[in-house]
Amino acid sequence: MARTVREEQVCNRSESQRTQTGAKAGDSVMEIKLLYDGKYWIEPLVKSATWSGDVAQPHRTLSISYSNTLNADDKRIAFELGKELRFYVDDVGLFRGVIFTYDIDDKGDTTITAYDENVYLTKNVDTQKFVGKTAGAIVSSLCKSFGIPVGTVANTGYVIPKLILRDMSLWDMITTALTETRKQNNRKFIVYSREGKLFLREKKDEIVRWMLEDGVNITSARRSQSIEEMRTAVKAQGGTDEKPITSTAKDAALIKKYGMMQHVESADSDATASQIQQLAKAKLKELGKVGEDVSVDALGITQVVAGTAVYAFESMTDIVGGYYVNADTHTFQNGTHTMSLTLSKTDDLPKLEYEESEPKKEAAKKKKKKAKKKSSKANNSGNGSTMKVLDVVSEMESIRGGAKK
């Protein structure tokens, strides 16, 4: 049977030696432990464990392959969906989450997938309106409304004038708010889970502590470059139809080298000329880069996960310098710990654009314009009939009533 917590406390070292899996890059063997439902240590019959994450998702994932039988006839543990699963490497807790899928065949071979608590950001959909709030305040408000435990939430700075978010997951709402913030102040923030709580911190330049190098810990690598998504000029536009505000930012050096490629960015209707100018500059900085995709397989380092930075050197592919980790998959199997990484020169945190225009709102604006024209004509006629004036007033009242709905 699986060891209980108390049995784990009194087991001898020789047993835990048999469950050692994984290796630090050029270092000693790692010991993994898995605790199910706070009661059972299940690592002795684990075939493999895969721990992964992506900056495009708020949660990390743990998948384990497990032999859930001792005699080929009876199940060892009756796993239940919704129960907690914890993962430790060298007695350091790396993962704490909830079992979402459980699969078992006639031989007792079992696959279990768990997500950390931030997965609930993707499992709840709602419609929300926020006025005069920062992205950090929006995160706190959403978590409070849906009972999601919160740790530290960073001050994101920019006060978003208005956000109307319809039929969106909480994660998409948060991503939209962070995208609007990044447009204005170019500050980046990352959401993560620790000890069952949600945290929001600023993604500042980090001290790079880890090096990946061919002949040392890199086992394979691949690199591709493209200017497909590059833009050498950005035109930001806002204001109203009557008083449009535009600002264009260009990179002369990029235009000379790669040609003119312009992106158009829509600003909030309440944005000032200064904010629109800043938006154009920030968007150009984001888009005026050569796209590069780098993937590396290497000996595992548990601290290297999505959102961190590494130095990488591989001679054939010309992978040289500092990179951000966009996605990671760590595999613990057959006494080894390996990792597969997706790297990027740019910090590609998730983005979700906010579209302010709404069909009903636009229709109401058109009706109001027509009503104003009719009203103007009636006033200019000097002695127009009272019936026409009343018709205009009636139509205006109708429009106001429709807008309120």
Side-chain angles (χ1 to χ4, degrees):
M1 294 293 290
R3 299 193 308 272
T4 64
V5 173
R6 180 166 180 77
E7 289 170 333
E8 166 65 18
Q9 293 172 345
V10 299
C11 72
N12 59 42
R13 185 65 182 170
S14 62
E15 179 181 8
S16 59
Q17 288 285 351
R18 292 195 299 272
T19 66
Q20 289 177 335
T21 304
K24 292 180 182 177
D27 206 337
S28 60
V29 175
M30 281 186 168
E31 178 187 354
I32 70 166
K33 293 181 181 180
L34 284 147
L35 179 62
Y36 166 66
D37 195 23
K39 302 176 182 177
Y40 304 102
W41 297 96
I42 63 173
E43 68 275 3
L45 293 184
V46 170
K47 295 180 178 180
S48 66
T50 301
W51 177 55
S52 59
D54 191 309
V55 293
Q57 295 294 332
H59 59 275
R60 291 189 64 79
T61 301
L62 178 69
S63 296
I64 63 171
S65 176
Y66 182 76
S67 181
N68 197 16
T69 183
L70 292 175
N71 56 16
D73 292 321
D74 302 312
K75 280 189 295 186
R76 192 166 185 238
I77 297 178
F79 287 101
E80 294 182 40
L81 299 177
K83 294 292 187 179
E84 185 185 74
L85 190 62
R86 298 193 184 194
F87 180 56
Y88 301 84
V89 174
D90 286 344
D91 292 324
V92 175
L94 297 184
F95 177 88
R96 167 177 158 178
V98 179
I99 296 176
F100 265 72
T101 66
Y102 168 64
D103 180 80
I104 186 169
D105 65 16
D106 60 320
K107 299 180 180 64
D109 291 333
T110 301
T111 301
I112 297 172
T113 301
Y115 307 116
D116 70 36
E117 286 83 349
N118 277 3
V119 71
Y120 292 107
L121 295 177
T122 69
K123 301 299 182 183
N124 287 285
V125 176
D126 200 9
T127 295
Q128 294 272 348
K129 178 180 179 180
F130 300 100
V131 178
K133 288 184 177 292
T134 64
I138 289 173
V139 170
S140 296
S141 176
L142 290 173
C143 289
K144 182 178 180 180
S145 297
F146 286 83
I148 299 173
V150 176
T152 302
V153 175
N155 181 2
T156 52
Y158 174 63
V159 177
I160 304 171
K162 179 175 63 178
L163 278 181
I164 300 175
L165 307 171
R166 301 180 185 278
D167 302 326
M168 296 175 68
S169 69
L170 304 187
W171 174 236
D172 285 346
M173 290 184 184
I174 291 172
T175 302
T176 301
L178 292 177
T179 300
E180 291 301 301
T181 299
R182 186 172 177 178
K183 283 181 181 179
Q184 296 300 325
N185 58 22
N186 205 33
R187 292 171 65 188
K188 306 167 188 175
F189 296 85
I190 188 168
V191 175
Y192 63 99
S193 176
R194 189 175 71 213
E195 297 179 350
K197 295 181 179 180
L198 178 146
F199 288 79
L200 176 72
R201 68 173 175 85
E202 186 166 4
K203 190 80 173 64
K204 297 181 179 178
D205 293 335
E206 299 181 14
I207 298 175
V208 181
R209 303 180 184 278
W210 307 104
M211 183 177 295
L212 308 178
E213 187 176 359
D214 57 341
V216 179
N217 52 9
I218 289 179
T219 57
S220 67
R222 178 179 174 275
R223 174 176 175 247
S224 64
Q225 291 181 298
S226 172
I227 59 171
E228 290 281 2
E229 303 301 323
M230 173 190 281
R231 295 297 179 265
T232 55
V234 171
K235 180 179 181 181
Q237 52 191 22
T240 63
D241 293 339
E242 293 80 9
K243 295 182 179 180
I245 304 174
T246 62
S247 179
T248 302
K250 297 181 179 180
D251 190 314
L254 290 180
I255 292 173
K256 183 178 180 180
K257 187 173 184 178
Y258 299 112
M260 182 69 172
M261 296 180 281
Q262 179 172 285
H263 170 79
V264 175
E265 185 76 7
S266 296
D268 190 282
S269 61
D270 298 328
T272 65
S274 176
Q275 289 174 329
I276 291 174
Q277 183 181 41
Q278 179 61 32
L279 173 61
K281 291 179 180 179
K283 197 67 179 180
L284 179 60
K285 183 177 180 180
E286 176 189 331
L287 297 179
K289 298 176 181 178
V290 174
E292 183 177 48
D293 292 321
V294 175
S295 58
V296 170
D297 292 335
L299 300 181
I301 305 171
T302 57
Q303 293 88 344
V304 176
V305 296
T308 61
V310 297
Y311 280 121
F313 300 92
E314 205 287 321
S315 55
M316 178 60 71
T317 57
D318 290 329
I319 296 174
V320 178
Y323 289 85
Y324 295 99
V325 180
N326 286 343
D328 69 279
T329 300
H330 290 256
T331 302
F332 302 82
Q333 184 176 21
N334 297 330
T336 61
H337 170 205
T338 59
M339 61 184 181
S340 297
L341 308 175
T342 300
L343 307 178
S344 175
K345 280 289 187 182
T346 57
D347 197 356
D348 292 329
L349 296 175
K351 305 179 187 67
L352 199 59
E353 300 297 333
Y354 172 60
E355 297 294 338
E356 184 191 17
S357 61
E358 303 168 27
K360 291 183 179 180
K361 186 185 295 184
E362 294 300 318
K365 285 182 180 179
K366 290 179 180 179
K367 287 183 179 180
K368 286 182 180 180
K369 287 180 181 179
K370 289 181 180 179
K372 285 179 180 179
K373 288 180 180 179
K374 289 182 180 181
S375 177
S376 178
K377 288 180 180 179
N379 290 334
N380 292 336
S381 63
N383 54 359
S385 69
T386 304
M387 284 297 294
K388 288 185 178 180
V389 175
L390 289 175
D391 287 343
V392 172
V393 172
S394 177
E395 185 173 356
M396 287 291 288
E397 291 298 322
S398 175
I399 292 169
R400 291 194 188 100
K404 288 179 180 179
K405 292 178 183 178

